[in-house]
Amino acid sequence: MNWVFLILGGLCEIGFTTCLGKAKDAQGNAQWLWYGAFVVFLFASMGLLIKATQTLPLGTAYAVWTGIGAVGTVLMGIIFFKEPADFWRIFFIFTLIASIVGLKAVSSH
């Protein structure tokens, strides 16, 4: 179950970084709503990470959490913020994914 908390925490990390990008492009009340959503996702992400590390090794949990956030944030940037999607960015996203899967596999033993 703590792996589910960890994955949800990583997804919330994607949420708070996306809110930062949206807030940067917004003005007035919309900007403050994006910052408010940032705070909600931030607290949710940290809370889920704390819950997950109660039984998962801290180093593995943190690496997986940041990896999910990093991969998701790069993909959100490419999809929604028109960031470049060249070969090397995609290549290194896949190496991050492989590392996350590898950490999960070795911590299951």
Side-chain angles (χ1 to χ4, degrees):
M1 187 65 189
N2 283 323
W3 280 103
V4 172
F5 292 139
L6 187 61
I7 292 166
L8 289 173
L11 294 174
C12 286
E13 187 179 0
I14 298 165
F16 76 71
T17 56
T18 301
C19 289
L20 281 178
K22 297 298 277 182
K24 181 179 73 171
D25 295 335
Q27 295 178 357
N29 288 336
Q31 186 178 45
W32 289 107
L33 287 172
W34 284 113
Y35 284 135
F38 164 82
V39 171
V40 170
F41 278 114
L42 178 67
F43 277 98
S45 183
M46 294 295 167
L48 289 162
L49 177 62
I50 289 167
K51 179 69 176 154
T53 58
Q54 290 176 349
T55 59
L56 299 176
L58 179 61
T60 300
Y62 184 74
V64 170
W65 178 76
T66 58
I68 292 169
V71 168
T73 299
V74 169
L75 292 175
M76 294 297 282
I78 291 169
I79 294 167
F80 294 107
F81 298 108
K82 309 295 186 255
E83 293 178 1
D86 59 31
F87 171 80
W88 289 111
R89 281 185 77 147
I90 302 302
F91 173 78
F92 286 116
I93 288 171
F94 280 108
T95 62
L96 271 171
I97 293 168
S99 296
I100 292 166
V101 171
L103 281 169
K104 165 76 169 90
V106 297
S107 66
S108 296
H109 294 116

